[in-house]
């Protein structure tokens, strides 16, 4: 019998700086007041819409977010800047995202009792990479001294789960012996801090996981990947138009459409039923039902989405132990959210317990893995 494919370690790195809802709202409201004052004439003439005020209470109630980590805090709360001030690093220095990735990778290697020599594939999977080439994954591979190959992949909210799927397939096919999947989610440069509807949503973080065969795994907490399931369906409701063609388009690189923007209500309404159907079908593949799942490591975009999805699946409000929420301190960290939930809440599970890891969001994309503690 072939040895199962397992997750043998996980890693997390969070920046040293965080911003509370109150701090963020204070800066945004001061910016909005200044904008409305400076553009009084255009607003009165109906040429511009006034900037509405934000509220910390609304943010917590609508999203579950109380605070978020940011890679660089300077600039974000400066009402004359409203974006992080991240100095460009020279080409002979480690890039920002590679540095974030390496912190999380080292934590994952330690938890899996592995050294870089044990790894032969590195995947950097996240919502954005700070450049197209050379791949961040190859930079990380070089910095860690890993032999083999490495590549980047982008699937927005589902980058982490889709990369774990690829890692699972490589191990199952015997084309890799141990895969390091890393998610350096540096979201803050793409957040429109001047937009009341979205200024609060995202945070920066990096996560990592090690995927290998059970017979090489040597850690305390090993999870068999029983199976994977993915689906995508095209939607313009979550979008950023920033890209390498922007320069040739002769458009304003600071324009709102070049940053993250969404139709949040529509996303909520369309993604929740998709996620419920996807997860139900995935569990049914193993003749499992929701009652058989001890832990739900769900995507962390909005607490009300998670409540709705888990209530539909379980027929009741899940406890925080059953479906952990990390949104309050981390906010939406794109593809890393469900991995943070796993990292923080997996050690108490017993041998034979089943957990479900699932991402859902931009694309639309949904990716799930059914995991069993060995
Ligand atoms: N303060 C006060 N009032 C506000 C604020 C605010 N900050 N924001 C909106 N309001 C107002 C609205 O203007 C509206 O007023 P009115 O009724 O007068 O028009 C009212 O509050 C209600 O607004 P909404 O209906 O929009 O409020 P919701 O309850 O729907 O909450 C959410 C808004 C939180 C955005 C919610 O719709 C949501 O979370 N939807 C799901 C979104 C989602 O999951 N998106 C996926 C995110 S994408 C992703 O995860 C990865 C993408 C890639 C990474 C990008 C990194 C940058």
């Amino acid at each position: 019998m072939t040895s199962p494919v397992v997750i043998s370690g996980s890693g997390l790195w969070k920046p040293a700086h965080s911003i509370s809802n109150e701090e963020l709202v204070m800066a945004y409201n001061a910016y909005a007041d200044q904008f409305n004052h400076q553009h009084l004439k255009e607003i009165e003439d109906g040429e511009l819409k006034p900037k509405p005020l934000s509220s910390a209470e609304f943010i917590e109630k609508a999203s579950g977010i109380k605070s978020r980590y940011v890679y660089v805090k300077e600039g974000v709360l400066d009402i004359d800047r409203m974006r992080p001030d991240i100095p460009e690093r020279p080409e002979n220095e480690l890039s920002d995202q590679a540095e974030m990735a390496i912190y999380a990778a080292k934590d994952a290697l330690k938890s899996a009792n592995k050294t870089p020599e044990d790894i032969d594939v590195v995947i950097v999977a996240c919502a954005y990479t700070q450049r197209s080439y050379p791949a961040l994954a190859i930079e990380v591979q070089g910095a860690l001294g890993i032999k083999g190959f490495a590549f980047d992949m982008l699937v927005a909210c589902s980058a982490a789960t889709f990369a774990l799927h690829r890692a699972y397939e490589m191990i199952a096919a015997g084309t890799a012996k141990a895969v390091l999947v890393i998610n350096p989610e540096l979201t803050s440069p793409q957040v429109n801090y001047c937009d009341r509807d979205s200024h609060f949503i995202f945070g920066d973080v990096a996560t990592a996981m090690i995927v290998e065969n059970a017979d090489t795994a040597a850690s305390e907490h090993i999870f068999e990947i029983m199976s994977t399931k993915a689906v995508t369906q095209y939607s313009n409701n979550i979008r950023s138009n920033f890209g390498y063609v922007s320069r040739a388009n002769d458009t304003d690189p600071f324009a709102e459409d070049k940053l993250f923007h969404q139709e949040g209500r529509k996303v909520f309404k369309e993604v929740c039923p998709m996620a419920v159907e996807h997860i139900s079908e995935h569990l049914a593949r193993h003749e499992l039902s929701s009652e058989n799942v001890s832990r739900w490591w769900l995507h962390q975009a909005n607490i009300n989405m998670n409540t709705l999805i888990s209530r539909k699946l379980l027929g009741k409000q899940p406890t925080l132990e059953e479906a952990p929420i990390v949104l309050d301190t981390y906010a939406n960290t794109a593809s890393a959210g469900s991995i943070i939930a796993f990292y923080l809440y997996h050690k108490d599970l017993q041998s034979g317990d089943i957990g479900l890891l699932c991402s859902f969001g931009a694309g639309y994309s949904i990716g799930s893995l059914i995991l069993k503690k060995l």
Side-chain angles (χ1 to χ4, degrees):
M1 208 178 105
T2 54
S3 166
V5 180
V6 300
I7 292 171
S8 57
S10 56
L12 171 69
W13 176 79
K14 54 183 198 251
H17 319 286
S18 66
I19 298 179
S20 68
N21 286 350
E22 288 73 20
E23 280 178 284
L24 193 74
V25 166
M26 198 190 293
Y28 169 83
N29 285 350
Y31 159 81
D33 281 342
Q34 175 179 271
F35 178 94
N36 293 341
H37 182 72
Q38 283 173 350
H39 297 90
L40 197 59
K41 173 110 182 55
E42 296 104 302
I43 291 169
E44 279 174 358
D45 293 348
E47 288 162 19
L48 267 183
K49 280 196 180 144
K51 289 267 177 197
L53 295 186
S54 186
S55 123
E57 296 72 41
F58 170 88
I59 294 171
E60 192 178 334
K61 191 163 169 286
S63 69
I65 299 165
K66 296 181 188 165
S67 183
R68 71 280 300 137
Y69 290 98
V70 282
Y71 181 62
V72 167
K73 190 166 176 174
E74 284 77 36
V76 176
L77 305 177
D78 173 354
I79 66 165
D80 295 316
R81 183 174 172 89
M82 301 298 274
R83 61 187 194 281
D85 187 352
I86 305 177
E88 188 173 48
R89 293 185 176 180
E91 288 189 1
N92 59 358
E93 270 183 29
L94 204 57
S95 57
D96 297 282
Q97 256 180 312
E99 186 178 306
M100 292 171 68
I102 287 167
Y103 288 132
K106 285 185 174 166
D107 193 29
L109 287 166
K110 192 164 155 236
S111 92
N113 280 318
K114 296 277 153 195
T115 64
E117 293 81 64
D118 299 316
I119 306 294
D120 55 359
V121 177
V122 179
I123 309 176
V124 164
C126 44
Y128 307 94
T129 50
Q130 68 182 94
R131 60 163 190 270
S132 301
Y133 50 86
L136 282 165
I138 303 176
E139 186 180 3
V140 170
Q141 177 196 8
L144 290 175
I146 291 170
K147 295 203 170 63
F149 67 93
F151 60 93
D152 294 346
M153 58 181 278
L154 305 179
V155 202
C157 307
S158 292
T161 52
F162 278 38
L164 288 169
H165 293 181
R166 303 291 78 76
Y168 168 84
E169 285 158 3
M170 283 190 263
I171 300 295
T175 53
K177 63 182 187 346
V179 184
L180 170 59
V181 175
I182 326 172
N183 324 105
E185 291 291 9
L186 181 53
T187 62
S188 54
Q190 260 279 303
V191 174
N192 184 355
Y193 290 104
C194 301
D195 173 39
R196 175 181 80 152
D197 292 2
S198 63
H199 74 128
F200 58 87
I201 297 179
F202 294 99
D204 299 330
V205 80
T207 51
M209 280 186 162
I210 309 284
V211 180
E212 60 181 319
N213 272 130
D215 57 10
T216 58
S219 62
E220 205 182 331
H221 303 284
I222 300 173
F223 286 81
E224 176 184 350
I225 302 176
M226 291 173 67
S227 71
T228 66
K229 181 172 163 66
V231 69
T232 52
Q233 183 183 299
Y234 187 64
S235 166
N236 265 330
N237 289 333
I238 311 169
R239 193 168 171 121
S240 164
N241 291 326
F242 181 78
Y244 80 100
V245 183
S246 297
R247 178 174 163 260
N249 291 149
D250 289 341
T251 50
D252 173 7
F254 286 84
E256 291 190 350
D257 76 297
K258 300 294 179 296
L259 301 171
F260 167 89
H261 55 284
Q262 70 169 353
E263 294 286 342
R265 262 293 115 190
K266 283 191 190 158
V267 174
F268 197 109
K269 280 199 183 135
E270 291 170 9
V271 168
C272 288
M274 269 180 81
V276 171
E277 189 188 350
H278 177 96
I279 293 169
S280 306
E281 283 175 10
H282 195 178
L283 291 174
R285 201 197 285 173
H286 294 272
E287 295 181 353
L288 293 169
S289 70
S290 299
E291 291 77 52
N292 304 117
V293 178
S294 304
R295 182 91 8 111
W296 304 85
W297 299 290
L298 295 181
H299 186 62
Q300 306 278 319
N302 177 302
I303 194 169
N304 301 318
M305 276 176 110
N306 287 28
T307 305
L308 184 68
I309 290 167
S310 24
R311 279 178 80 135
K312 284 252 185 296
L313 288 164
L314 286 157
K316 66 169 179 92
Q317 172 84 23
T319 62
L320 282 178
E321 198 190 330
E322 289 168 324
I325 295 290
V326 304
L327 273 163
D328 49 350
T329 42
Y330 288 88
N332 181 339
T333 51
S335 79
S338 56
I339 314 294
I340 304 173
F342 176 92
Y343 177 91
L344 296 174
Y345 300 98
H346 71 273
K347 291 188 177 155
D348 60 317
L349 293 184
Q350 305 299 309
S351 178
D353 281 350
I354 304 276
L356 183 116
L357 185 89
C358 187
S359 64
F360 36 85
Y364 299 134
S365 60
I366 304 185
S368 56
L369 294 95
I370 299 179
L371 305 178
K372 182 162 76 181
K373 178 97 184 253
L374 292 184

